[in-house]
Amino acid sequence: MGQCLELSAAVCRIGVYSCFRAFCCKGPPSPRTEYDVVCVGLTGSGKSSLLTQLCSESTDSIIPTTGFSIKAVPFQNAILNVKELGGADNIRKYWSRYYQGSQGVVFVLDSASSEDDLETARNELHSALQHPQLCTLPFLILANHQDKPAARSLQEIKKYFELEPLARGQRWILQPCSVENMDAVREGFNQFISLLEEIDQEHIPGRI
């Protein structure tokens, strides 16, 4: 019952947010292109911390996301409206209900996690890569917590997650990062934005 109420409340929040963006955001249009992005990953992967840092907000009171949260993350040439979904066991089964309207996917994984959690993250990433609403979208995969001693290397993660055979033909970026190295995070997002812009260009009428 509690889960149903939480989900209903989240759906209402999405409706309010959509109406606000459609009818209440008057004034001159932003000079930067906006993209709607969904951000997923297990609890503890560091989604909230990375997004909060990107927005130059304080990280002192961060708690695990329940349901979802939305942040407008500014970059030099674009604004990403990031819908971050909670990563707890009882929330992940509802992720697909929030995919509609996404133009890109950010998947955050804890590269220093336990073997069990890493396997769960792999299964969730595989599901996202193959989901009908996401399989044609660009993916930014952030291998977070690279500053920890137990962190796997980028090559180990690429092999374990079977990214090259699984995501062949898809647009994806695997970026090592940590909250201690936000330059690497921004570099990954800038590459991600370039992929989003490429897709925009491909959809221009008359362009071959």
Side-chain angles (χ1 to χ4, degrees):
M1 181 66 178
Q3 291 180 9
C4 292
L5 290 173
E6 184 176 295
L7 180 62
S8 298
V11 170
C12 288
R13 287 165 62 193
I14 285 182
V16 170
Y17 171 72
S18 300
C19 290
F20 175 80
R21 290 189 61 198
F23 301 112
C24 301
C25 297
K26 304 299 183 183
S30 170
R32 289 176 285 183
T33 306
E34 295 191 25
Y35 297 100
D36 293 330
V37 174
V38 64
C39 177
V40 292
L42 305 190
T43 296
S45 60
K47 304 184 300 296
S48 299
S49 295
L50 294 177
L51 293 174
T52 299
Q53 288 270 51
L54 285 171
C55 292
S56 301
E57 298 172 354
S58 172
T59 59
D60 293 340
S61 58
I62 289 178
I63 58 174
T65 301
T66 57
F68 79 97
S69 66
I70 295 174
K71 284 185 180 294
V73 186
F75 293 90
Q76 185 173 358
N77 57 338
I79 295 174
L80 300 185
N81 297 308
V82 182
K83 187 192 308 177
E84 178 199 345
L85 308 183
D89 292 350
N90 63 334
I91 297 175
R92 292 199 304 271
K93 59 187 176 183
Y94 298 119
W95 278 358
S96 61
R97 302 191 182 195
Y98 302 96
Y99 290 163
Q100 186 173 1
S102 299
Q103 295 168 277
V105 182
V106 178
F107 190 98
V108 184
L109 63 93
D110 179 1
S111 55
S113 67
S114 68
E115 292 294 335
D116 287 346
D117 282 347
L118 201 66
E119 182 177 359
T120 301
R122 179 177 65 177
N123 293 337
E124 294 293 354
L125 178 57
H126 285 193
S127 295
L129 283 166
Q130 298 174 74
H131 192 278
Q133 290 180 297
L134 304 181
C135 63
T136 61
L137 305 181
F139 273 70
L140 171 60
I141 304 164
L142 295 174
N144 197 18
H145 298 155
Q146 285 289 310
D147 55 322
K148 294 185 177 180
R152 282 84 168 176
S153 70
L154 209 62
Q155 196 57 40
E156 288 175 314
I157 291 171
K158 187 183 296 184
K159 181 178 179 180
Y160 182 80
F161 279 75
E162 302 175 306
L163 286 174
E164 290 180 341
L166 180 69
R168 184 178 291 113
Q170 292 181 245
R171 296 176 171 95
W172 58 274
I173 298 159
L174 177 60
Q175 177 71 22
C177 68
S178 73
V179 290
E180 302 300 326
N181 184 8
M182 290 303 295
D183 285 343
V185 179
R186 292 186 182 91
E187 179 183 343
F189 271 96
N190 285 330
Q191 293 180 55
F192 182 56
I193 289 169
S194 293
L195 293 182
L196 292 168
E197 290 173 340
E198 284 179 15
I199 292 174
D200 264 359
Q201 290 297 312
E202 290 171 3
H203 293 165
I204 293 177
R207 187 180 180 89
I208 299 176

